[in-house]
């Protein structure tokens, strides 16, 4: 390549890389949800599915869920009272609407203050972020359920939910 053409090519390539990085930066906190750090919560809430980051639901949702563990989406996920108390304290402290823990409130857009949604996968924002996933995709057997985040988000256990 002639030097001028080469430098134009390099310039175009650098611009493209810059644009991609900007896209990622803009996606910001919609991609990162701090993984569960409390060992007890990880253990008790990560045995049947991934331990969902506390920042994916508001405190009132966790409180309701923790009070009904004997009928948890049709399963018995109950734990003893002391364990339940410790897990609830952790989840509430790191919930999407907890102050002092980043600001994940954007994630709750469209959720009424009086509602305590139990499914992350039914939050308006979750539904919006997944509107481009084709219906066929959800029924693939490796996916099985919308709640199987790790099937599509390979880094979900580390808190990353970017579109991979
Ligand atoms: C005995 C197995 C079991 C244990 C233990 C368990 N879960 Fe679940 N959980 C389920 C099942 C089954 C579902 C429904 C999954 C589906 O619809 O595909 C579910 C769904 C969920 C969902 C909703 C996911 C969605 O669709 O958005 C949340 C949130 C959740 N669990 C949190 C917890 C928490 C917090 C704990 C610990 C206190 C816990 N789970 C422990 C079995 C379990
Ligand atoms: C069938 C695959 C699939 C499953 C299962 C899935 N996702 Fe996603 N998710 C995607 C795709 C694809 C996108 C990107 C959509 C786009 O770019 O328009 C996405 C986007 C997201 C985003 C927005 C990321 C950003 O860049 O802003 C979040 C947050 C998210 N998913 C969380 C979850 C959670 C939490 C679960 C499990 C409860 C889950 N996803 C389950 C495929 C999936």
């Amino acid at each position: 390549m002639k030097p001028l053409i080469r430098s134009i090519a390099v310039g175009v390539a650098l611009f493209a890389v810059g644009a991609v990085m900007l896209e990622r930066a803009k996606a910001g906190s919609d991609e990162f949800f701090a993984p569960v750090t409390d060992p007890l919560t990880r253990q008790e809430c990560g045995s049947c599915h991934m331990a969902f980051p506390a920042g994916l639901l508001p405190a009132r949702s966790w409180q309701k869920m923790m009070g009904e563990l004997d009928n948890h989406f049709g399963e018995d996920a109950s734990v003893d009272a002391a364990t339940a108390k410790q897990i609830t304290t952790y989840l509430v402290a790191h919930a999407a609407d907890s102050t002092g823990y980043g600001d994940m409130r954007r994630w709750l857009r469209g959720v009424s203050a009086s509602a305590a949604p139990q499914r992350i996968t039914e939050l308006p924002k979750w539904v919006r972020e997944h509107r481009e996933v084709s219906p066929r995709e959800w029924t693939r057997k490796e996916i099985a359920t919308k709640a199987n985040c790790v099937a599509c988000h390979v880094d979900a256990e580390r808190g990353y939910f970017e579109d991979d």
Side-chain angles (χ1 to χ4, degrees), residues 2-100:
K2 294 204 180 96
L4 178 61
I5 294 181
R6 187 163 48 217
S7 65
I8 289 171
V10 167
V12 167
L14 283 177
F15 180 79
V17 168
V20 167
M21 284 168 58
L22 197 66
E23 270 313 308
R24 293 202 161 234
K26 268 195 301 197
S29 62
D30 283 358
E31 305 187 347
F32 183 73
F33 292 83
V36 171
T37 49
D38 176 47
L40 189 63
T41 308
R42 271 194 93 85
Q43 185 190 317
E44 297 294 340
C45 306
S47 55
C48 298
H49 44 64
M50 77 170 284
F52 299 114
L56 285 167
L57 285 175
R60 57 190 185 275
S61 293
W62 294 124
Q63 273 156 336
K64 180 166 191 283
M65 190 177 294
M66 292 305 295
E68 306 171 341
L69 282 183
D70 56 331
N71 183 9
H72 177 75
F73 303 90
E75 304 250 346
D76 184 357
S78 49
V79 291
D80 65 72
T83 303
K85 191 163 172 234
Q86 186 178 327
I87 294 174
T88 307
T89 303
Y90 172 82
L91 292 172
V92 165
H94 298 84
D97 56 345
S98 72
T99 51

Side-chain angles (χ1 to χ4, degrees), residues 23-34 104 106-107 129 153 155-156 158-163:
E23 270 313 308
R24 293 202 161 234
K26 268 195 301 197
S29 62
D30 283 358
E31 305 187 347
F32 183 73
F33 292 83
M104 306 299 291
R106 267 182 335 140
W107 184 248
E129 295 286 2
H153 300 287
D155 258 348
R158 295 198 304 127
Y160 293 99
F161 292 89
E162 64 262 316
D163 30 358

Side-chain angles (χ1 to χ4, degrees), residues 27-28 30-31 33 50 52 56 107 120-121 126 128-133 137-138 143 145-153 161-164:
D30 283 358
E31 305 187 347
F33 292 83
M50 77 170 284
F52 299 114
L56 285 167
W107 184 248
I120 298 154
T121 52
W126 191 95
R128 237 168 64 88
E129 295 286 2
H130 294 85
R131 65 180 182 259
E132 279 164 26
V133 178
E137 193 73 4
W138 298 119
I143 314 270
T145 159
K146 291 183 180 177
N148 191 8
C149 321
V150 287
C152 301
H153 300 287
F161 292 89
E162 64 262 316
D163 30 358
D164 277 324

